[in-house]
Amino acid sequence: MFAIHFALGAMVAFGAATAPSAAWAYLALVLFGTMSFGMLRTSPATFLLFVPLIALRITEFISGAAIEGGAYMVETEITGRATGAFARLFLIYVLFFLTATIVVEASWPRLKALFRDAPTRWQPQGRVIWIGLLVVMTAATLYLVRLGINNGFPLIGHLDRFEYLRKIDSPIYSGWMTNRPVLVPFIGALFCVPGYRMRGALVLVWLLALSVLFGEKFTSLLMILSIFSIPVGLVHIANDRSIPTGAIGGIAVAVVAVTVPAVLVAYGALTNFDAAVQKYGQRVALQGQLWYVADDKYLATTRLDDRAIGADVASWVKPGEQNADGAGTRFGLYYVMQRFTASRLLGWAMEGGTGFVFSLYPYLLMTMGIVGLLFVSSILAAFHAFVMRMVAQTIAEGNWIASILFGRAMSSLYGGYTTGFMWNFFGIKNLVTIAVALFLTWEGQRRDSRVRQMMQALSRRR
């Protein structure tokens, strides 16, 4: 399946280079969709563990089709044209997901045995999970509602979520929005426990509604649903049940039908529909903008910016420097933005703590060239697959402390794809988190495991 898609992708990339047209970007989008469907049919475990990233990449290719079709990019002040950038990006992602599939499928036989009986294993802890989710969601809702009363709700006040984040400047709000994905696997596990399915569904709808109220758009909500589907889907396929492709498609259509109008309303569609559509189009173009401009200006087989790479690697062992202010324009997100955006926009973004999304691959291209990008991308694919494998394993085993830590590492990886900061992958904080989680995983498998005894005691007490 991957070989066929790579061959087709190579033909599209060749066509984009010899006869430039926006049609090639649309074909790249179609090919990414068919490759994702092929993963669902041939390697469903990999598809489920990577469906959050697949969802993000689909939005990137939708953005690419719009850009190469002539969309205007406000931040870089240019109008897109057909360059073949996203046809080339597709080839990179084929190799990424091929590597991830090899790692995941090698461990699937053991994971399958664990997930086959997982709901029975989770049953005694269902009440603990339910109460934990209820406490966290209630506290978050009370805080966010108070925040909304004092500062307005983005959906009602027609504020972009990034503008809202900059306006309120709340680390608690920022931390909640960043770490929501850590909660979602627990919601999926609760949904699988007999007697708790409706409560799991209730918490999921609650989280989605709260996210929509605070201006979250299609991509973010799709991420939540994707992560929710990991434990639910793995239990499903572990029991040799067929993949409900119709249901998956229906859910995707429902998400689009709900979130797109909600985002347009947040952008003021009730008073000025055309302006809201224009703003939405600009946000769509934002997803793939940095890859487009980096591919256009810095595409090369080999390249080496040793100063940026050296500063990047040095930050991995210095937790105090692992922030956007510490990195500045030396490497990562603002290193890329500096070359394509006006100084005023760059300063505003750095001061507000925000910027473009999907910065990692443009950053790798600009500092390492295509060869270095492919090499690092393969390492990231294997590393990401390992983390997701451990997320799945610890959830299946009911080792909730370890699964929280691995979930935090998972959230960090997605931060790395967005911001381009490699410490999200190999920084000391993330590696220590993974090391502690691995220790707890090992300890939880011992015959006289204290972690398991603690969870059992807590379940009985509840």
Side-chain angles (χ1 to χ4, degrees):
M1 189 276 292
F2 284 108
I4 291 172
H5 277 86
F6 188 85
L8 292 174
M11 293 171 59
V12 169
F14 179 77
T18 56
S21 169
W24 301 114
Y26 283 95
L27 280 174
L29 169 62
V30 171
L31 282 178
F32 191 86
T34 59
M35 184 184 73
S36 301
F37 183 78
M39 290 175 62
L40 175 64
R41 302 301 299 180
T42 62
S43 309
T46 305
F47 176 86
L48 288 166
L49 290 176
F50 276 84
V51 69
L53 185 58
I54 291 171
L56 287 178
R57 295 311 185 196
I58 287 176
T59 67
E60 190 175 16
F61 280 101
I62 292 173
S63 174
I67 290 171
E68 295 204 39
Y72 179 70
M73 291 164 277
V74 176
E75 292 77 14
T76 50
E77 299 179 338
I78 59 175
T79 299
R81 57 185 175 83
T83 63
F86 292 90
R88 289 184 283 274
L89 184 62
F90 173 73
L91 293 175
I92 295 170
Y93 288 163
V94 171
L95 296 176
F96 177 95
F97 285 108
L98 171 61
T99 303
T101 299
I102 292 171
V103 175
V104 171
E105 295 305 314
S107 61
W108 173 238
R110 184 170 186 273
L111 287 177
K112 181 177 181 180
L114 288 171
F115 274 96
R116 186 179 292 119
D117 303 320
T120 302
R121 198 176 302 113
W122 296 334
Q123 178 70 48
Q125 300 165 2
R127 184 171 174 78
V128 176
I129 301 172
W130 162 245
I131 292 175
L133 289 171
L134 194 61
V135 169
V136 172
M137 286 298 300
T138 300
T141 301
L142 291 175
Y143 175 79
L144 291 175
V145 168
R146 178 177 175 276
L147 202 65
I149 292 173
N150 293 336
N151 301 278
F153 296 94
L155 180 64
I156 299 172
H158 312 314
L159 286 174
D160 178 86
R161 61 193 175 110
F162 294 118
E163 294 176 9
Y164 191 76
L165 180 64
R166 190 168 54 255
K167 171 186 175 183
I168 62 173
D169 191 26
S170 167
I172 298 177
Y173 174 73
S174 177
W176 162 255
M177 301 306 280
T178 301
N179 291 292
R180 285 173 304 162
V182 178
L183 286 180
V184 182
F186 292 88
I187 302 174
L190 188 68
F191 183 83
C192 295
V193 176
Y196 287 92
R197 175 158 296 187
M198 289 303 297
R199 299 184 207 188
L202 171 65
V203 177
L204 177 64
V205 173
W206 186 355
L207 181 61
L208 291 171
L210 199 60
S211 299
V212 169
L213 185 62
F214 280 83
E216 291 298 297
K217 62 187 184 65
F218 172 72
T219 304
S220 177
L221 302 184
L222 193 58
M223 277 284 289
I224 292 174
L225 287 172
S226 299
I227 297 173
F228 169 81
S229 72
I230 291 175
V232 176
L234 290 177
V235 168
H236 187 85
I237 65 173
N239 287 278
D240 297 319
R241 298 175 188 146
S242 60
I243 301 294
T245 52
I248 293 173
I251 292 172
V253 170
V255 171
V256 173
V258 171
T259 58
V260 171
V263 173
L264 289 174
V265 170
Y267 288 168
L270 297 179
T271 55
N272 191 333
F273 183 78
D274 290 340
V277 171
Q278 183 181 23
K279 188 172 184 179
Y280 188 78
Q282 292 169 357
R283 286 299 308 277
V284 169
L286 181 65
Q287 302 285 80
Q289 189 171 169
L290 281 184
W291 173 258
Y292 174 81
V293 292
D295 175 90
D296 190 41
K297 300 294 185 181
Y298 288 89
L299 182 64
T301 303
T302 58
R303 182 185 298 277
L304 182 64
D305 187 337
D306 54 347
R307 181 176 297 181
I309 295 171
D312 192 336
V313 174
S315 72
W316 298 358
V317 295
K318 300 175 182 177
E321 295 185 8
Q322 292 176 16
N323 57 73
D325 290 336
T329 59
R330 294 179 300 152
F331 58 91
L333 172 62
Y334 300 129
Y335 169 92
V336 181
M337 284 185 64
Q338 183 186 37
R339 287 150 175 80
F340 304 110
T341 57
S343 58
R344 177 184 293 182
L345 174 60
L346 179 64
W348 166 77
M350 295 176 73
E351 182 179 349
T354 59
F356 290 103
V357 294
F358 298 143
S359 303
L360 179 61
Y361 279 73
Y363 167 64
L364 295 177
L365 178 64
M366 293 168 63
T367 55
M368 302 180 182
I370 286 292
V371 172
L373 185 157
L374 290 174
F375 176 73
V376 174
S377 180
S378 297
I379 293 175
L380 295 180
F383 185 60
H384 192 151
F386 168 75
V387 170
M388 295 308 298
R389 185 252 192 201
M390 296 309 300
V391 168
Q393 177 182 324
T394 50
I395 289 175
E397 293 174 341
N399 192 337
W400 304 115
I401 300 175
S403 66
I404 289 174
L405 294 175
F406 279 121
R408 184 66 191 87
M410 173 191 72
S411 181
S412 180
L413 300 188
Y414 281 102
Y417 290 121
T418 298
T419 64
F421 295 128
M422 293 293 288
W423 67 62
N424 283 285
F425 300 93
F426 305 120
I428 188 67
K429 291 188 290 186
N430 200 44
L431 294 182
V432 168
T433 298
I434 292 173
V436 173
L438 285 171
F439 171 78
L440 292 175
T441 303
W442 168 80
E443 203 281 336
Q445 294 171 341
R446 295 171 61 235
R447 181 174 299 177
D448 56 346
S449 167
R450 293 185 179 181
V451 171
R452 189 166 61 249
Q453 291 172 5
M454 181 183 68
M455 293 304 302
Q456 291 172 349
L458 187 61
S459 298
R460 288 194 294 271
R461 190 177 300 121
R462 291 297 182 184

